[in-house]
């Protein structure tokens, strides 16, 4: 009588296979979250840069302040509020009164307001810091930042404000630095120059 040999796996072979699959799966998951975290931060920075550039275009091309309002002389800009709590959004606004500040009034989407759009950052990205290459805003605890554009000057007007909303004595800066943080701990600095140039640098 002859017996047919069984070509199955031994317990050791199964354990080794499971271990290899587990290691490969864990590596894939870590790489996925790392890639997704980096992508979220990059997307937030690019969207912010695009909104700043759009404000510049609106300001230089004399976009009407409100539909049917007949006002074509207003500047446009971006407003950052570090006292908002979560720091997960910023405002695109039209500077109707020309004071180079954002006047909230009744808020976005209702009544008399300078708000054009409230842009919320996605996937856990937040704004952690506003600063400039000059030391004044940091040393004087600037809490608000506006970047505005008004025809015919293509340059950005960069202004910092204190916690009371008052213009800093040294508010007129040549650049603005906005630091974005991802959920996974990555950082990106978005630099806006007075000339209107925008740079992003991930650290």
């Amino acid at each position: 009588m002859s017996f047919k040999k069984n070509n199955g796996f031994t317990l050791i072979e199964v354990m080794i296979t499971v271990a290899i699959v587990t290691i490969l799966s864990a590596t894939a998951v870590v790489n996925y979250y790392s890639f997704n975290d980096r992508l979220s931060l990059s997307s937030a920075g690019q969207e912010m840069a695009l909104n700043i550039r759009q404000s510049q275009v609106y300001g230089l091309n004399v976009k009407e302040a409100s539909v049917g309002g007949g006002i074509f002389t207003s500047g446009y800009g971006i407003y950052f509020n570090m006292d908002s709590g979560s720091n997960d959004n910023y405002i695109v606004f039209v500077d109707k009164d020309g004071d180079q500040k954002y006047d909230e009034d009744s808020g976005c989407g209702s009544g008399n307001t300078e708000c054009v759009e409230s842009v919320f950052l996605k996937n856990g990205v937040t704004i952690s810091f506003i600063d400039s290459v000059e030391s004044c805003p940091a040393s004087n605890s600037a809490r608000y930042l506006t970047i505005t554009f008004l025809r015919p000057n293509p340059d950005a007007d960069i202004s910092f404000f204190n916690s009371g909303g008052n213009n800093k004595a040294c508010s007129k800066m040549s650049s603005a630095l906005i630091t974005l943080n991802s959920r996974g701990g990555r950082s990106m600095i978005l630099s806006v120059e007075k000339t209107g140039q925008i740079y992003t640098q991930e650290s």
Side-chain angles (χ1 to χ4, degrees):
M1 176 182 291
S2 62
F3 295 94
K4 187 175 181 180
K5 186 177 180 180
N6 187 359
N7 294 322
F9 294 101
T10 66
L11 179 59
I12 294 177
E13 290 174 329
V14 171
M15 291 176 65
I16 292 174
T17 302
V18 170
I20 292 172
V21 171
T22 302
I23 292 171
L24 292 175
S25 298
T27 302
V29 169
V30 170
N31 287 338
Y32 168 77
Y33 282 113
S34 177
F35 171 77
N36 193 52
D37 190 61
R38 188 184 301 274
L39 181 62
S40 296
L41 185 63
S42 177
S43 296
Q46 293 301 322
E47 183 180 20
M48 183 179 292
L50 183 62
N51 281 312
I52 294 172
R53 183 67 67 215
Q54 184 182 54
S55 297
Q56 184 183 39
V57 171
Y58 284 170
L60 296 180
N61 287 280
V62 199
K63 178 179 169 62
E64 190 174 20
S66 58
V67 178
I71 300 175
F72 296 90
T73 57
S74 299
Y76 280 80
I78 305 289
Y79 167 74
F80 298 91
N81 178 0
M82 297 305 295
D83 284 339
S84 62
S86 59
N87 298 330
D88 63 349
N89 72 301
Y90 54 93
I91 304 291
V92 179
F93 74 100
V94 52
D95 188 20
K96 294 180 179 179
D97 57 6
D99 63 355
Q100 297 170 341
K101 293 173 60 177
Y102 168 61
D103 300 314
E104 184 177 11
D105 295 325
S106 55
C108 285
S110 62
N112 181 31
T113 179
E114 291 188 339
C115 178
V116 174
E117 179 185 7
S118 181
V119 182
F120 284 87
L121 302 172
K122 303 177 182 66
N123 300 318
V125 177
T126 57
I127 302 168
S128 63
F129 198 64
I130 55 173
D131 196 7
S132 176
V133 293
E134 294 89 352
S135 62
C136 173
S139 61
N140 286 275
S141 303
R143 304 305 299 162
Y144 309 100
L145 164 66
T146 61
I147 303 170
T148 55
F149 300 91
L150 177 63
R151 185 180 180 180
N153 188 358
D155 290 350
D157 186 285
I158 299 171
S159 299
F160 290 89
F161 302 87
N162 62 22
S163 58
N166 297 314
N167 212 307
K168 301 302 294 177
C170 57
S171 66
K172 303 299 182 182
M173 297 290 110
S174 62
S175 68
L177 305 177
I178 302 113
T179 302
L180 301 176
N181 284 350
S182 70
R183 183 177 289 160
R186 286 184 170 83
S187 295
M188 170 183 284
I189 297 176
L190 189 139
S191 174
V192 184
E193 304 294 327
K194 186 173 180 61
T195 56
Q197 293 174 303
I198 304 170
Y199 307 95
T200 58
Q201 179 180 356
E202 189 173 342
S203 57

